[in-house]
Structures are given as structure tokens and as C-alpha cells.
Amino acid sequence: GGSVLPVLVVTPDRQTFNSLEPVVSLFLDGVRQLPLKAQAPKTSVTIADLVGEWRSGGDSSLDYVTPSGAYAGSSTVAHGASYIIAADGSYKSQFAGVANRQIVRGGGVGTVELGSGIIGFRERGGKLSRYRFVSYQTALNGATVLTLLADQYEANAANVSFYGEKWVREPKQ
């Protein structure tokens, strides 16, 4: 809305703040102004929590210049993915991406596997994509936001901030 809720975080130094940033972000994502109620993030998920269509995406573009400052070209990368998860733990995924005018499309079907802090997507044929579970929260508009970190990255504040993926499930109408 048109309101601001000031929040002050005091730490002894930047390194301490950086280490606390994921927790601070989760807290801030849950703050609500009355009459809405604060939403604490979930610390674990079940298949029932994941049922529905989730979307994620990202993009990056760079412009290159010569030492004199003249334009020398550009590079663009973008992707979008969706996972439709059923109550029985099966899923269907779709992916589309572009890298410098090269288009990539794909998809798959498989099953969702849950472990201690891990969400896995096992495609038929055996390929397993694993993510560290970071958070599961309800946004102000009623959408659900699932934050995941690919398991090749150590679960620390810097990696969650830089490599963490936000998956969104729109609210039910």
C-alpha cells in the first residue's frame, strides 16, 4: 500500500550483517501492517505444500565497451521454468531460455523427493536435480514464494543472496 514500516538492523560490522542477511530477509518478507497478520516462514515442506504450478525465471544482460568507451557489443541471457506438482508427488516441467539469440527449450516428467532440507526432482530415466530448501512464505498478494538453492552451492548467506531461486505459485482465485 502507501505505508512504510521502518526496520533497523544493527550489527557490529558488515561481515556480521552479511551472515545474517538471509534471516533478516525472511523476517522482512513476513512483516505485515495491521489488519494483516505477520507470516512466519515455514522451516520444512511436504508434498501437499508443493502441489500446484510453480514458476521461476531470471535474466542478465551486459553491454561491452572498448577502453575508449565506444560500444563493442552486448550479451543477453534469460530463462523461465515451470513445475506442475501433483498431490501424488509427480511433476511435469517446462523450460525455455535464450542466450545471445540461441533458444533452448526442454521439459520433463518425474517425481518429487523430499529429504532433510532437500527437495529433489527425479526425471524418468534417473536424472536428479537437488535443491536446498531455504524458505516457504506467503507474499502480500497471497502468492506463495519458495526459495531454493541448488545443492552444488554451500548454504550460506552470500550463496542464497546470489544463487538462490525464488519460485512463485500464484494465489488460488
Side-chain angles (χ1 to χ4, degrees):
S3 300
V4 175
L5 297 171
V7 176
L8 175 65
V9 178
V10 179
T11 61
D13 54 44
R14 181 63 192 204
Q15 183 179 7
T16 302
F17 177 81
N18 289 347
S19 69
L20 293 173
E21 187 175 7
V23 175
V24 171
S25 292
L26 289 174
F27 170 78
L28 293 175
D29 287 345
V31 171
R32 303 289 188 266
Q33 185 172 353
L34 289 175
L36 301 175
K37 290 188 176 191
Q39 299 282 322
K42 292 183 79 161
T43 57
S44 64
V45 291
T46 65
I47 294 294
D49 293 323
L50 299 176
V51 170
E53 182 173 6
W54 296 88
R55 296 181 184 267
S56 179
D59 59 71
S60 174
S61 67
L62 293 170
D63 287 329
Y64 301 100
V65 295
T66 65
S68 66
Y71 177 77
S74 65
S75 172
T76 301
V77 176
H79 77 280
S82 71
Y83 282 80
I84 299 173
I85 301 174
D88 66 359
S90 64
Y91 75 86
K92 178 181 177 185
S93 67
Q94 292 184 319
F95 173 87
V98 62
N100 300 323
R101 292 181 267 170
Q102 183 73 28
I103 297 171
V104 177
R105 295 182 194 278
V109 294
T111 56
V112 178
E113 300 176 1
L114 298 178
S116 180
I118 298 289
I119 299 174
F121 295 89
R122 185 174 301 278
E123 287 187 25
R124 284 191 195 143
K127 180 184 174 204
L128 177 64
S129 299
R130 292 169 34 115
Y131 296 89
R132 297 177 195 279
F133 169 75
V134 177
S135 70
Y136 177 102
Q137 290 185 289
T138 304
L140 284 172
N141 68 355
T144 305
V145 180
L146 178 66
T147 304
L148 301 173
L149 178 66
D151 78 336
Q152 75 252 32
Y153 301 111
E154 181 182 338
N156 61 40
N159 285 344
V160 170
S161 293
F162 195 72
Y163 300 112
E165 298 180 26
K166 301 273 189 190
W167 292 28
V168 177
R169 181 179 59 201
E170 295 300 322
K172 295 178 182 171
Q173 299 288 332

Short mmCIF file of all heavy atoms in Angstrom, two decimals, residues 54-119:
data_model
loop_
_atom_site.label_atom_id
_atom_site.label_comp_id
_atom_site.label_asym_id
_atom_site.label_seq_id
_atom_site.Cartn_x
_atom_site.Cartn_y
_atom_site.Cartn_z
N TRP A 54 4.36 -23.91 -10.15
CA TRP A 54 5.42 -23.00 -9.69
C TRP A 54 6.16 -22.46 -10.90
O TRP A 54 6.43 -23.18 -11.85
CB TRP A 54 6.40 -23.76 -8.80
CG TRP A 54 5.78 -24.26 -7.54
CD1 TRP A 54 5.15 -25.46 -7.36
CD2 TRP A 54 5.71 -23.57 -6.29
NE1 TRP A 54 4.70 -25.55 -6.06
CE2 TRP A 54 5.04 -24.41 -5.39
CE3 TRP A 54 6.17 -22.34 -5.85
CZ2 TRP A 54 4.80 -24.04 -4.06
CZ3 TRP A 54 5.93 -21.97 -4.54
CH2 TRP A 54 5.26 -22.82 -3.66
N ARG A 55 6.51 -21.17 -10.84
CA ARG A 55 7.25 -20.54 -11.93
C ARG A 55 8.48 -19.84 -11.38
O ARG A 55 8.45 -19.29 -10.28
CB ARG A 55 6.38 -19.52 -12.65
CG ARG A 55 5.18 -20.16 -13.33
CD ARG A 55 4.36 -19.09 -14.06
NE ARG A 55 3.17 -19.67 -14.64
CZ ARG A 55 3.08 -20.12 -15.88
NH1 ARG A 55 4.14 -20.07 -16.66
NH2 ARG A 55 1.96 -20.62 -16.33
N SER A 56 9.53 -19.88 -12.18
CA SER A 56 10.78 -19.23 -11.80
C SER A 56 11.45 -18.73 -13.07
O SER A 56 11.22 -19.27 -14.16
CB SER A 56 11.70 -20.22 -11.09
OG SER A 56 12.91 -19.61 -10.74
N GLY A 57 12.26 -17.71 -12.95
CA GLY A 57 12.97 -17.21 -14.12
C GLY A 57 14.00 -16.18 -13.73
O GLY A 57 14.09 -15.75 -12.58
N GLY A 58 14.79 -15.81 -14.71
CA GLY A 58 15.80 -14.80 -14.47
C GLY A 58 16.39 -14.31 -15.78
O GLY A 58 16.17 -14.90 -16.84
N ASP A 59 17.14 -13.23 -15.69
CA ASP A 59 17.77 -12.68 -16.89
C ASP A 59 18.99 -11.88 -16.51
O ASP A 59 19.15 -11.47 -15.36
CB ASP A 59 16.80 -11.81 -17.69
CG ASP A 59 16.28 -10.65 -16.87
OD1 ASP A 59 17.06 -9.71 -16.60
OD2 ASP A 59 15.09 -10.67 -16.49
N SER A 60 19.83 -11.69 -17.48
CA SER A 60 21.05 -10.89 -17.29
C SER A 60 21.46 -10.33 -18.64
O SER A 60 21.35 -11.02 -19.66
CB SER A 60 22.17 -11.78 -16.74
OG SER A 60 23.38 -11.06 -16.67
N SER A 61 21.88 -9.10 -18.65
CA SER A 61 22.41 -8.54 -19.89
C SER A 61 23.63 -7.68 -19.57
O SER A 61 23.70 -7.04 -18.52
CB SER A 61 21.35 -7.72 -20.63
OG SER A 61 21.01 -6.58 -19.89
N LEU A 62 24.57 -7.70 -20.48
CA LEU A 62 25.80 -6.93 -20.34
C LEU A 62 26.05 -6.16 -21.63
O LEU A 62 25.83 -6.70 -22.72
CB LEU A 62 27.00 -7.84 -20.09
CG LEU A 62 27.04 -8.61 -18.78
CD1 LEU A 62 28.18 -9.63 -18.82
CD2 LEU A 62 27.25 -7.65 -17.63
N ASP A 63 26.51 -4.95 -21.50
CA ASP A 63 26.99 -4.18 -22.64
C ASP A 63 28.50 -4.09 -22.52
O ASP A 63 29.03 -3.85 -21.43
CB ASP A 63 26.39 -2.77 -22.67
CG ASP A 63 24.93 -2.78 -23.07
OD1 ASP A 63 24.53 -3.66 -23.85
OD2 ASP A 63 24.19 -1.89 -22.61
N TYR A 64 29.19 -4.28 -23.62
CA TYR A 64 30.65 -4.21 -23.64
C TYR A 64 31.09 -2.92 -24.31
O TYR A 64 30.47 -2.48 -25.29
CB TYR A 64 31.23 -5.42 -24.39
CG TYR A 64 30.82 -6.73 -23.77
CD1 TYR A 64 29.78 -7.49 -24.30
CD2 TYR A 64 31.48 -7.22 -22.65
CE1 TYR A 64 29.40 -8.70 -23.74
CE2 TYR A 64 31.10 -8.42 -22.07
CZ TYR A 64 30.07 -9.15 -22.62
OH TYR A 64 29.70 -10.34 -22.05
N VAL A 65 32.14 -2.34 -23.76
CA VAL A 65 32.70 -1.11 -24.33
C VAL A 65 34.21 -1.28 -24.50
O VAL A 65 34.84 -2.07 -23.81
CB VAL A 65 32.40 0.12 -23.44
CG1 VAL A 65 30.92 0.41 -23.38
CG2 VAL A 65 32.96 -0.04 -22.06
N THR A 66 34.75 -0.51 -25.42
CA THR A 66 36.19 -0.51 -25.65
C THR A 66 36.84 0.37 -24.58
O THR A 66 36.16 1.11 -23.86
CB THR A 66 36.51 0.06 -27.05
OG1 THR A 66 36.11 1.44 -27.06
CG2 THR A 66 35.80 -0.72 -28.14
N PRO A 67 38.18 0.33 -24.47
CA PRO A 67 38.86 1.20 -23.50
C PRO A 67 38.54 2.69 -23.70
O PRO A 67 38.56 3.47 -22.75
CB PRO A 67 40.34 0.92 -23.73
CG PRO A 67 40.37 -0.48 -24.25
CD PRO A 67 39.12 -0.61 -25.09
N SER A 68 38.16 3.07 -24.91
CA SER A 68 37.81 4.47 -25.17
C SER A 68 36.35 4.78 -24.82
O SER A 68 35.93 5.92 -24.90
CB SER A 68 38.10 4.83 -26.63
OG SER A 68 37.22 4.10 -27.47
N GLY A 69 35.57 3.73 -24.48
CA GLY A 69 34.18 3.94 -24.12
C GLY A 69 33.18 3.70 -25.24
O GLY A 69 31.98 3.87 -25.04
N ALA A 70 33.66 3.29 -26.40
CA ALA A 70 32.76 3.03 -27.52
C ALA A 70 32.04 1.69 -27.33
O ALA A 70 32.61 0.74 -26.80
CB ALA A 70 33.54 3.01 -28.84
N TYR A 71 30.82 1.61 -27.79
CA TYR A 71 30.04 0.39 -27.68
C TYR A 71 30.71 -0.73 -28.48
O TYR A 71 31.11 -0.54 -29.61
CB TYR A 71 28.62 0.64 -28.22
CG TYR A 71 27.74 -0.58 -28.24
CD1 TYR A 71 27.17 -1.07 -27.07
CD2 TYR A 71 27.48 -1.26 -29.42
CE1 TYR A 71 26.36 -2.20 -27.08
CE2 TYR A 71 26.67 -2.38 -29.45
CZ TYR A 71 26.11 -2.85 -28.27
OH TYR A 71 25.31 -3.96 -28.28
N ALA A 72 30.83 -1.93 -27.86
CA ALA A 72 31.51 -3.05 -28.52
C ALA A 72 30.63 -4.30 -28.59
O ALA A 72 31.10 -5.35 -28.99
CB ALA A 72 32.81 -3.36 -27.79
N GLY A 73 29.39 -4.19 -28.18
CA GLY A 73 28.51 -5.35 -28.27
C GLY A 73 27.76 -5.60 -26.96
O GLY A 73 27.91 -4.86 -25.98
N SER A 74 26.98 -6.66 -26.96
CA SER A 74 26.21 -6.98 -25.76
C SER A 74 26.00 -8.48 -25.67
O SER A 74 26.22 -9.22 -26.62
CB SER A 74 24.86 -6.26 -25.78
OG SER A 74 24.07 -6.74 -26.84
N SER A 75 25.57 -8.90 -24.51
CA SER A 75 25.28 -10.30 -24.25
C SER A 75 24.02 -10.36 -23.39
O SER A 75 23.91 -9.64 -22.39
CB SER A 75 26.46 -10.93 -23.49
OG SER A 75 26.13 -12.23 -23.06
N THR A 76 23.08 -11.22 -23.77
CA THR A 76 21.83 -11.35 -23.03
C THR A 76 21.54 -12.82 -22.78
O THR A 76 21.68 -13.66 -23.67
CB THR A 76 20.65 -10.74 -23.81
OG1 THR A 76 20.94 -9.36 -24.05
CG2 THR A 76 19.35 -10.87 -23.04
N VAL A 77 21.15 -13.13 -21.54
CA VAL A 77 20.77 -14.48 -21.15
C VAL A 77 19.48 -14.36 -20.36
O VAL A 77 19.35 -13.49 -19.49
CB VAL A 77 21.85 -15.14 -20.28
CG1 VAL A 77 21.40 -16.52 -19.80
CG2 VAL A 77 23.16 -15.25 -21.03
N ALA A 78 18.49 -15.22 -20.65
CA ALA A 78 17.23 -15.22 -19.90
C ALA A 78 16.67 -16.63 -19.89
O ALA A 78 16.93 -17.42 -20.80
CB ALA A 78 16.23 -14.26 -20.53
N HIS A 79 15.91 -16.95 -18.84
CA HIS A 79 15.28 -18.26 -18.78
C HIS A 79 14.00 -18.19 -17.97
O HIS A 79 13.81 -17.29 -17.15
CB HIS A 79 16.22 -19.30 -18.16
CG HIS A 79 16.30 -19.20 -16.67
ND1 HIS A 79 17.09 -18.26 -16.03
CD2 HIS A 79 15.67 -19.88 -15.70
CE1 HIS A 79 16.95 -18.39 -14.73
NE2 HIS A 79 16.09 -19.37 -14.49
N GLY A 80 13.13 -19.15 -18.21
CA GLY A 80 11.91 -19.31 -17.44
C GLY A 80 11.62 -20.80 -17.30
O GLY A 80 11.90 -21.58 -18.22
N ALA A 81 11.12 -21.19 -16.15
CA ALA A 81 10.80 -22.60 -15.91
C ALA A 81 9.50 -22.69 -15.15
O ALA A 81 9.13 -21.78 -14.39
CB ALA A 81 11.92 -23.27 -15.12
N SER A 82 8.80 -23.79 -15.36
CA SER A 82 7.60 -24.06 -14.57
C SER A 82 7.59 -25.53 -14.18
O SER A 82 8.06 -26.39 -14.93
CB SER A 82 6.33 -23.68 -15.33
OG SER A 82 6.09 -24.60 -16.37
N TYR A 83 7.10 -25.78 -12.98
CA TYR A 83 6.90 -27.13 -12.48
C TYR A 83 5.45 -27.23 -12.04
O TYR A 83 4.99 -26.41 -11.25
CB TYR A 83 7.80 -27.41 -11.27
CG TYR A 83 9.24 -27.71 -11.62
CD1 TYR A 83 10.13 -26.69 -11.90
CD2 TYR A 83 9.70 -29.02 -11.66
CE1 TYR A 83 11.45 -26.96 -12.21
CE2 TYR A 83 11.01 -29.30 -11.98
CZ TYR A 83 11.88 -28.27 -12.24
OH TYR A 83 13.19 -28.54 -12.55
N ILE A 84 4.75 -28.23 -12.54
CA ILE A 84 3.40 -28.51 -12.06
C ILE A 84 3.51 -29.78 -11.22
O ILE A 84 3.88 -30.85 -11.74
CB ILE A 84 2.41 -28.70 -13.23
CG1 ILE A 84 2.34 -27.42 -14.06
CG2 ILE A 84 1.03 -29.10 -12.69
CD1 ILE A 84 1.52 -27.54 -15.33
N ILE A 85 3.25 -29.63 -9.92
CA ILE A 85 3.41 -30.74 -8.98
C ILE A 85 2.03 -31.24 -8.56
O ILE A 85 1.18 -30.46 -8.15
CB ILE A 85 4.24 -30.29 -7.75
CG1 ILE A 85 5.62 -29.80 -8.23
CG2 ILE A 85 4.36 -31.43 -6.74
CD1 ILE A 85 6.48 -29.20 -7.16
N ALA A 86 1.84 -32.55 -8.68
CA ALA A 86 0.57 -33.19 -8.33
C ALA A 86 0.62 -33.72 -6.89
O ALA A 86 1.70 -33.87 -6.30
CB ALA A 86 0.28 -34.33 -9.30
N ALA A 87 -0.54 -34.01 -6.34
CA ALA A 87 -0.66 -34.48 -4.96
C ALA A 87 0.06 -35.81 -4.73
O ALA A 87 0.46 -36.11 -3.59
CB ALA A 87 -2.13 -34.60 -4.56
N ASP A 88 0.25 -36.60 -5.78
CA ASP A 88 0.95 -37.88 -5.62
C ASP A 88 2.47 -37.74 -5.70
O ASP A 88 3.20 -38.73 -5.68
CB ASP A 88 0.44 -38.90 -6.64
CG ASP A 88 0.78 -38.53 -8.08
OD1 ASP A 88 1.39 -37.45 -8.33
OD2 ASP A 88 0.41 -39.32 -8.98
N GLY A 89 2.97 -36.49 -5.83
CA GLY A 89 4.41 -36.25 -5.90
C GLY A 89 4.99 -36.29 -7.30
O GLY A 89 6.18 -36.07 -7.47
N SER A 90 4.16 -36.52 -8.30
CA SER A 90 4.67 -36.48 -9.67
C SER A 90 4.73 -35.03 -10.14
O SER A 90 4.06 -34.15 -9.57
CB SER A 90 3.76 -37.30 -10.61
OG SER A 90 2.47 -36.75 -10.67
N TYR A 91 5.55 -34.77 -11.13
CA TYR A 91 5.64 -33.40 -11.67
C TYR A 91 5.84 -33.44 -13.17
O TYR A 91 6.28 -34.43 -13.75
CB TYR A 91 6.77 -32.61 -11.01
CG TYR A 91 8.15 -33.00 -11.48
CD1 TYR A 91 8.71 -32.44 -12.63
CD2 TYR A 91 8.89 -33.94 -10.79
CE1 TYR A 91 9.96 -32.81 -13.07
CE2 TYR A 91 10.16 -34.31 -11.22
CZ TYR A 91 10.69 -33.75 -12.36
OH TYR A 91 11.93 -34.12 -12.80
N LYS A 92 5.51 -32.31 -13.78
CA LYS A 92 5.78 -32.06 -15.19
C LYS A 92 6.49 -30.71 -15.22
O LYS A 92 6.04 -29.75 -14.59
CB LYS A 92 4.49 -32.00 -15.99
CG LYS A 92 4.69 -31.70 -17.45
CD LYS A 92 3.36 -31.63 -18.19
CE LYS A 92 3.58 -31.27 -19.64
NZ LYS A 92 2.33 -31.09 -20.36
N SER A 93 7.61 -30.61 -15.94
CA SER A 93 8.34 -29.35 -16.00
C SER A 93 8.50 -28.89 -17.44
O SER A 93 8.48 -29.68 -18.38
CB SER A 93 9.73 -29.50 -15.37
OG SER A 93 10.53 -30.38 -16.14
N GLN A 94 8.63 -27.58 -17.59
CA GLN A 94 8.92 -26.97 -18.88
C GLN A 94 9.99 -25.91 -18.64
O GLN A 94 10.01 -25.25 -17.60
CB GLN A 94 7.69 -26.32 -19.48
CG GLN A 94 6.63 -27.31 -19.90
CD GLN A 94 5.48 -26.61 -20.59
OE1 GLN A 94 5.05 -25.55 -20.18
NE2 GLN A 94 4.97 -27.23 -21.65
N PHE A 95 10.87 -25.73 -19.62
CA PHE A 95 11.96 -24.78 -19.53
C PHE A 95 12.14 -24.13 -20.88
O PHE A 95 12.03 -24.78 -21.92
CB PHE A 95 13.26 -25.51 -19.14
CG PHE A 95 14.47 -24.62 -19.18
CD1 PHE A 95 14.83 -23.87 -18.09
CD2 PHE A 95 15.26 -24.54 -20.33
CE1 PHE A 95 15.95 -23.04 -18.12
CE2 PHE A 95 16.37 -23.71 -20.37
CZ PHE A 95 16.71 -22.96 -19.26
N ALA A 96 12.40 -22.83 -20.88
CA ALA A 96 12.75 -22.11 -22.09
C ALA A 96 13.82 -21.08 -21.73
O ALA A 96 13.77 -20.48 -20.65
CB ALA A 96 11.54 -21.42 -22.70
N GLY A 97 14.78 -20.93 -22.60
CA GLY A 97 15.83 -19.97 -22.34
C GLY A 97 16.40 -19.42 -23.63
O GLY A 97 16.17 -19.97 -24.71
N VAL A 98 17.11 -18.33 -23.50
CA VAL A 98 17.78 -17.73 -24.64
C VAL A 98 19.13 -17.21 -24.18
O VAL A 98 19.26 -16.67 -23.08
CB VAL A 98 16.93 -16.58 -25.27
CG1 VAL A 98 16.71 -15.45 -24.29
CG2 VAL A 98 17.55 -16.07 -26.55
N ALA A 99 20.14 -17.47 -25.02
CA ALA A 99 21.48 -16.95 -24.76
C ALA A 99 22.00 -16.40 -26.08
O ALA A 99 22.28 -17.17 -27.00
CB ALA A 99 22.40 -18.04 -24.22
N ASN A 100 22.06 -15.08 -26.17
CA ASN A 100 22.55 -14.42 -27.38
C ASN A 100 21.86 -14.95 -28.64
O ASN A 100 22.50 -15.41 -29.56
CB ASN A 100 24.06 -14.56 -27.49
CG ASN A 100 24.74 -13.93 -26.31
OD1 ASN A 100 24.30 -12.90 -25.80
ND2 ASN A 100 25.80 -14.55 -25.83
N ARG A 101 20.55 -14.92 -28.64
CA ARG A 101 19.69 -15.32 -29.74
C ARG A 101 19.63 -16.83 -29.98
O ARG A 101 19.00 -17.29 -30.91
CB ARG A 101 20.06 -14.60 -31.04
CG ARG A 101 19.77 -13.12 -30.95
CD ARG A 101 20.13 -12.45 -32.23
NE ARG A 101 21.49 -11.96 -32.05
CZ ARG A 101 22.26 -11.49 -32.99
NH1 ARG A 101 21.82 -11.41 -34.20
NH2 ARG A 101 23.46 -11.08 -32.74
N GLN A 102 20.29 -17.62 -29.14
CA GLN A 102 20.20 -19.08 -29.22
C GLN A 102 19.11 -19.54 -28.26
O GLN A 102 19.22 -19.35 -27.05
CB GLN A 102 21.54 -19.71 -28.83
CG GLN A 102 21.58 -21.21 -28.96
CD GLN A 102 21.63 -21.66 -30.40
OE1 GLN A 102 22.13 -20.96 -31.27
NE2 GLN A 102 21.08 -22.83 -30.66
N ILE A 103 18.02 -20.12 -28.79
CA ILE A 103 16.88 -20.52 -27.98
C ILE A 103 17.02 -21.98 -27.57
O ILE A 103 17.39 -22.83 -28.37
CB ILE A 103 15.56 -20.31 -28.76
CG1 ILE A 103 15.38 -18.81 -29.05
CG2 ILE A 103 14.38 -20.86 -27.98
CD1 ILE A 103 14.24 -18.50 -29.97
N VAL A 104 16.70 -22.23 -26.30
CA VAL A 104 16.74 -23.58 -25.75
C VAL A 104 15.38 -23.86 -25.12
O VAL A 104 14.84 -23.02 -24.40
CB VAL A 104 17.84 -23.71 -24.67
CG1 VAL A 104 17.82 -25.09 -24.05
CG2 VAL A 104 19.20 -23.39 -25.25
N ARG A 105 14.83 -25.04 -25.40
CA ARG A 105 13.55 -25.44 -24.79
C ARG A 105 13.70 -26.87 -24.30
O ARG A 105 14.43 -27.66 -24.88
CB ARG A 105 12.41 -25.38 -25.78
CG ARG A 105 12.09 -23.99 -26.27
CD ARG A 105 10.89 -24.01 -27.23
NE ARG A 105 10.76 -22.77 -27.95
CZ ARG A 105 10.19 -21.68 -27.47
NH1 ARG A 105 9.68 -21.69 -26.27
NH2 ARG A 105 10.11 -20.58 -28.19
N GLY A 106 12.97 -27.17 -23.23
CA GLY A 106 13.03 -28.53 -22.72
C GLY A 106 11.89 -28.77 -21.76
O GLY A 106 11.10 -27.88 -21.44
N GLY A 107 11.84 -29.96 -21.28
CA GLY A 107 10.81 -30.33 -20.32
C GLY A 107 11.07 -31.72 -19.81
O GLY A 107 11.98 -32.41 -20.27
N GLY A 108 10.28 -32.11 -18.84
CA GLY A 108 10.44 -33.43 -18.29
C GLY A 108 9.29 -33.80 -17.39
O GLY A 108 8.44 -32.96 -17.05
N VAL A 109 9.27 -35.05 -17.01
CA VAL A 109 8.30 -35.56 -16.05
C VAL A 109 9.07 -36.43 -15.07
O VAL A 109 10.12 -36.99 -15.39
CB VAL A 109 7.17 -36.36 -16.72
CG1 VAL A 109 6.31 -35.48 -17.60
CG2 VAL A 109 7.72 -37.52 -17.51
N GLY A 110 8.54 -36.52 -13.86
CA GLY A 110 9.22 -37.33 -12.86
C GLY A 110 8.51 -37.25 -11.53
O GLY A 110 7.30 -36.99 -11.47
N THR A 111 9.29 -37.44 -10.47
CA THR A 111 8.73 -37.41 -9.12
C THR A 111 9.55 -36.49 -8.22
O THR A 111 10.76 -36.33 -8.41
CB THR A 111 8.70 -38.82 -8.48
OG1 THR A 111 10.03 -39.36 -8.50
CG2 THR A 111 7.78 -39.75 -9.23
N VAL A 112 8.86 -35.89 -7.26
CA VAL A 112 9.50 -35.03 -6.28
C VAL A 112 9.95 -35.90 -5.11
O VAL A 112 9.20 -36.77 -4.65
CB VAL A 112 8.52 -33.94 -5.77
CG1 VAL A 112 9.17 -33.08 -4.70
CG2 VAL A 112 8.02 -33.10 -6.93
N GLU A 113 11.17 -35.67 -4.63
CA GLU A 113 11.70 -36.40 -3.49
C GLU A 113 12.05 -35.39 -2.41
O GLU A 113 12.73 -34.40 -2.68
CB GLU A 113 12.95 -37.19 -3.88
CG GLU A 113 12.70 -38.21 -4.96
CD GLU A 113 13.97 -38.94 -5.40
OE1 GLU A 113 15.06 -38.65 -4.86
OE2 GLU A 113 13.87 -39.78 -6.31
N LEU A 114 11.58 -35.63 -1.19
CA LEU A 114 11.88 -34.75 -0.07
C LEU A 114 12.83 -35.45 0.90
O LEU A 114 12.64 -36.62 1.23
CB LEU A 114 10.60 -34.36 0.67
CG LEU A 114 9.57 -33.58 -0.14
CD1 LEU A 114 8.34 -33.29 0.71
CD2 LEU A 114 10.17 -32.29 -0.68
N GLY A 115 13.84 -34.71 1.34
CA GLY A 115 14.79 -35.22 2.34
C GLY A 115 14.99 -34.16 3.38
O GLY A 115 14.32 -33.13 3.39
N SER A 116 15.93 -34.35 4.24
CA SER A 116 16.22 -33.39 5.31
C SER A 116 16.76 -32.09 4.71
O SER A 116 17.93 -31.99 4.38
CB SER A 116 17.22 -33.99 6.28
OG SER A 116 17.50 -33.07 7.32
N GLY A 117 15.88 -31.10 4.54
CA GLY A 117 16.28 -29.81 3.98
C GLY A 117 16.54 -29.83 2.49
O GLY A 117 17.08 -28.87 1.95
N ILE A 118 16.17 -30.91 1.82
CA ILE A 118 16.44 -31.06 0.38
C ILE A 118 15.14 -31.36 -0.36
O ILE A 118 14.31 -32.12 0.10
CB ILE A 118 17.43 -32.22 0.11
CG1 ILE A 118 18.78 -31.94 0.78
CG2 ILE A 118 17.60 -32.49 -1.37
CD1 ILE A 118 19.60 -30.84 0.13
N ILE A 119 14.98 -30.73 -1.53
CA ILE A 119 13.89 -31.06 -2.45
C ILE A 119 14.55 -31.53 -3.74
O ILE A 119 15.39 -30.82 -4.31
CB ILE A 119 13.00 -29.83 -2.73
CG1 ILE A 119 12.34 -29.34 -1.43
CG2 ILE A 119 11.94 -30.17 -3.77
CD1 ILE A 119 11.55 -28.05 -1.58
#
